[in-house]
Amino acid sequence: MTHYQLLQISPRATPEQIKQAYRRLARKYHPDVAGEENRDRFLKINEAYQVLRNPLQRREYDRTLNPKKRVSSPTSSPKSSQATASASSFTPFEFDVETYTLMKQRVRSAYERKEYAIAVKLADELALRFTGHPTAQRWVALSYHQRGRELLRFKQFKLAQIYLNKALAAQSRDKTLLDAIRKDLVLSSRI
């Protein structure tokens, strides 16, 4: 049984569909809910999710499922061997400016509407799709920071600390943002 079959999804499922399928099945088969006899099934579902949620691991897994599908066909010419070498070195998703811009606009829109819980979710998706991109990481930090501040206003201090710590972990370049996050963390721990 493939990871896709375990999660009951299509091989073309989006990251969001993978997450939704995992959550649905985890609620159904978690040993605390369904009993110890479902532990093995739950572990397999969890393993499938861990592989499919990571773009690099998912690509490698897809290659093992379809070994005949290659990025380029091998031939004996030197030009094609260079193409094969360069093709194997690119990331799982080529940087798609249009997709990046659209996803970033969705995060910004939720952020501007002060819907910080939604902004956090969208920023996480952006960072997952464009792993390591500094602007994506900045949106993650901004969204988590504002969600933490919002929770401080609602006097949910422990939850606010969790979001603020995640914001701190996501951002390392913007000194002004780092200082603001640290200031809010100190405030949340004093109250």
Side-chain angles (χ1 to χ4, degrees):
M1 181 175 278
T2 69
H3 290 336
Y4 296 103
Q5 291 168 333
L6 272 170
L7 293 178
Q8 301 169 3
I9 56 173
S10 162
R12 294 187 177 163
T14 65
E16 184 60 32
Q17 290 169 330
I18 293 168
K19 185 188 288 185
Q20 288 173 353
Y22 169 73
R23 287 182 175 172
R24 177 179 44 81
L25 292 169
R27 282 192 299 267
K28 185 175 180 180
Y29 292 108
H30 194 281
D32 292 346
V33 175
E36 284 298 315
E37 61 273 6
N38 287 303
R39 178 174 292 282
D40 288 338
R41 184 168 189 165
F42 174 75
L43 291 174
K44 287 178 184 177
I45 290 168
N46 191 42
E47 179 186 351
Y49 174 66
Q50 295 304 322
V51 169
L52 296 181
R53 72 178 246 190
N54 182 312
L56 290 171
Q57 289 180 4
R58 182 177 182 183
R59 182 174 178 176
E60 284 303 313
Y61 179 75
D62 288 345
R63 279 187 184 165
T64 62
L65 290 179
N66 300 316
K68 292 181 182 178
K69 289 186 179 181
R70 295 286 178 202
V71 176
S72 62
S73 60
T75 61
S76 59
S77 75
K79 189 174 186 179
S80 70
S81 65
Q82 289 173 349
T84 304
S86 66
S88 64
S89 64
F90 67 84
T91 57
F93 296 106
E94 291 182 24
F95 190 81
D96 180 5
V97 176
E98 188 176 317
T99 303
Y100 178 78
T101 304
L102 179 66
M103 291 179 77
K104 189 173 76 171
Q105 286 173 345
R106 290 175 59 205
V107 175
R108 180 178 296 187
S109 176
Y111 186 86
E112 289 171 352
R113 290 189 315 265
K114 298 183 180 180
E115 296 174 341
Y116 301 121
I118 294 170
V120 163
K121 181 180 176 193
L122 293 171
D124 280 342
E125 289 176 15
L126 178 69
L128 180 64
R129 175 71 191 263
F130 297 96
T131 305
H133 193 282
T135 309
Q137 287 303 114
R138 188 173 196 295
W139 277 109
V140 169
L142 284 169
S143 300
Y144 273 102
H145 180 223
Q146 289 303 320
R147 178 66 175 147
R149 293 182 86 182
E150 180 179 55
L151 291 165
L152 283 175
R153 286 192 298 275
F154 292 128
K155 300 185 188 308
Q156 296 181 3
F157 304 114
K158 295 289 184 190
L159 195 54
Q161 285 179 341
I162 292 169
Y163 278 92
L164 292 170
N165 280 318
K166 287 183 179 185
L168 195 60
Q171 184 59 6
S172 62
R173 297 182 180 191
D174 186 342
K175 184 170 175 13
T176 307
L177 179 57
L178 283 171
D179 291 342
I181 294 168
R182 288 184 183 123
K183 180 181 171 185
D184 288 335
L185 259 171
V186 168
L187 178 66
S188 71
S189 64
R190 286 185 183 171
I191 300 175

